[in-house]
Amino acid sequence: MSTATVKQAGLSWFVNPDLMKRALRDSFLRLTPRYQWRNPVMFVVYVGSILTTILWVQALLGKGEARAGFILAVTLWLWVTLLFANFAEAIAEGRSKAQAASLKSARRDTIAKKLAKPQRDAAQTPVPSNTLRKGDLVLVVQGDLVPGDGEVIEGAASIDESAITGESAPVIRAAGSDFNSVTGGTRVLSDWVVVRINVNPGEAFLDRMISMVEGAKRQKTPNEIALTILLVAMTLVFLLATVTLLPYSIYSVEVAKAGTPALDAPLALLVDGDTASAAEIVAGAVQDDKAGTLIGTRTFGKGLVQETFALPDGGAIKLTTARYLTPAGRDIDGVGITPDIIVPQRADAHPGEPGRDDQLDRALALLAR
């Protein structure tokens, strides 16, 4: 038999440093597919965390489709969410394990006075309490711990059961009364009793308490079940929506191409110092996308959008409200666009006339290749 002594914890279970350390360690140990599969919602977060981590590494190598900092931020949020969920579960399970460990640590063996007959003056044999079997007789006197669960068959005594029940007032246990049961781990405060042990080792009240704590599994409430079903359903909808984005995008692009034949011909674009504003942006787009060749001289460099606002005194004010940027993000204001092939125009040129327009002649020669 085992007896128990109960010590009050100085810290709450939630701020127990040992419990917090174990929960933090378990939060990382649970980052395995076998464990995460138990919760479908968190399993999706787990897979997403791995995928975004791979994308972040790809971005660091210069092959990502987004900035590495943005991908890292998303990845960290996913991993933190997963670790927090694991930490919460580890805290809940750790509390139960801590209670069981506290009960186990409270058990200790004592030396019992085993009797040969159910009489106080019978021959006594000192034996460890964990060797007592059902039916054994023991004598418990003032100051002794009851070595095991049983019933009083002789004598009466005042017993302190606060270690088991938490009740500070002592109780009277006497043979032949309705209150003749004693529990292992309680202490006799006065007088004596002869106790017949009625449980085998491992079947005592304290052992059953430990088994109940270790085997306890909290059932989910109806609200928790409903919330779980809702989260699973929303996760499935999210997965269906995201998985179909790429196929639908590819399909849309293919359909758009089907109605507009692509330009399968060389393109030469003539520019000079008078090429400005929208025409300049078109030239920049052609150059950025390598859709054609720019021939001529540097463009004007007007990349501003300005609006005029009338004033009450009859005057007006012109404000810059936007800036033009090429598809590659180039700011052309005050800089202009340098053509791919620089061809200065002679002073006596006749623009638009072959043979008398050097830029046009160079473009025709390029297209004739």
Side-chain angles (χ1 to χ4, degrees):
M1 291 308 154
S2 298
T3 58
T5 57
V6 176
K7 297 182 290 185
Q8 297 295 328
L11 294 175
S12 169
W13 66 268
F14 188 76
V15 295
N16 188 308
D18 293 334
L19 178 60
M20 299 289 282
K21 290 178 181 178
R22 286 195 299 268
L24 186 61
R25 181 195 62 192
D26 291 344
S27 299
F28 288 91
L29 294 179
R30 298 181 183 200
L31 294 176
T32 60
R34 183 174 59 85
Y35 184 86
Q36 296 299 325
W37 178 252
R38 301 177 185 179
N39 188 330
V41 177
M42 297 313 299
F43 181 73
V44 173
V45 178
Y46 176 70
V47 174
S49 302
I50 295 175
L51 291 177
T52 54
T53 302
I54 296 174
L55 292 176
W56 174 62
V57 174
Q58 186 183 38
L60 290 179
L61 298 177
K63 300 179 181 179
E65 297 182 0
R67 291 179 300 172
F70 172 76
I71 300 177
L72 177 61
V74 175
T75 301
L76 290 178
W77 273 114
L78 291 175
W79 282 117
V80 169
T81 301
L82 194 61
L83 289 172
F84 182 79
N86 289 347
F87 182 77
E89 290 184 2
I91 283 289
E93 294 181 7
R95 182 185 181 187
S96 176
K97 293 179 180 179
Q99 290 175 339
S102 177
L103 290 173
K104 288 181 179 179
S105 63
R107 290 190 306 186
R108 61 186 179 88
D109 295 329
T110 61
I111 300 300
K113 302 177 180 70
K114 185 177 180 180
L115 299 176
K117 296 186 297 183
Q119 298 175 359
R120 179 181 181 181
D121 56 356
Q124 301 179 11
T125 303
V127 296
S129 60
N130 60 2
T131 63
L132 294 174
R133 309 287 299 179
K134 185 176 181 180
D136 289 343
L137 303 172
V138 294
L139 173 64
V140 188
V141 299
Q142 180 178 354
D144 288 349
L145 291 174
V146 178
D149 298 354
E151 59 178 329
V152 178
I153 62 174
E154 186 178 353
S158 175
I159 299 178
D160 177 13
E161 295 186 342
S162 60
I164 302 299
T165 64
E167 178 59 48
S168 59
V171 296
I172 303 299
R173 295 289 184 259
S177 68
D178 293 336
F179 302 98
N180 64 346
S181 298
V182 292
T183 305
T186 57
R187 185 179 296 275
V188 175
L189 300 179
S190 65
D191 301 308
W192 59 271
V193 288
V194 175
V195 178
R196 178 189 288 116
I197 302 299
N198 57 15
V199 293
N200 290 319
E203 300 175 357
F205 175 75
L206 183 60
D207 296 317
R208 295 198 302 271
M209 285 180 59
I210 295 174
S211 298
M212 290 176 60
V213 171
E214 290 181 333
K217 185 177 182 181
R218 187 178 69 86
Q219 299 295 325
K220 289 186 177 181
T221 65
N223 287 341
E224 289 177 319
I225 295 175
L227 179 60
T228 300
I229 295 174
L230 175 62
L231 290 176
V232 171
M234 294 180 65
T235 301
L236 290 175
V237 172
F238 170 77
L239 288 176
L240 291 175
T242 53
V243 167
T244 55
L245 283 177
L246 181 59
Y248 275 120
S249 176
I250 295 175
Y251 174 76
S252 300
V253 171
E254 294 300 326
V255 170
K257 289 181 179 179
T260 305
L263 179 62
D264 188 17
L267 173 65
L269 200 62
L270 302 181
V271 295
D272 58 18
D274 293 328
T275 304
S277 196
E280 201 168 8
I281 291 298
V282 171
V286 171
Q287 190 177 59
D288 286 349
D289 294 339
K290 295 181 174 53
T293 303
L294 270 60
I295 299 175
T297 58
R298 183 185 297 274
T299 60
F300 183 82
K302 181 182 183 302
L304 299 178
V305 178
Q306 297 175 321
E307 294 186 23
T308 302
F309 298 90
L311 298 177
D313 60 358
I317 184 172
K318 181 180 288 187
L319 297 178
T320 299
T321 57
R323 302 180 73 91
Y324 283 131
L325 298 177
T326 67
R330 289 188 294 167
D331 187 353
I332 64 173
D333 187 65
V335 179
I337 299 174
T338 301
D340 302 309
I341 300 176
I342 299 177
V343 179
Q345 189 68 285
R346 58 188 182 184
D348 59 343
H350 288 68
E353 295 185 16
R356 305 184 69 181
D357 184 342
D358 294 343
Q359 294 175 346
L360 176 61
D361 292 342
R362 184 61 182 273
L364 292 175
L366 178 67
L367 297 177
R369 290 179 183 176

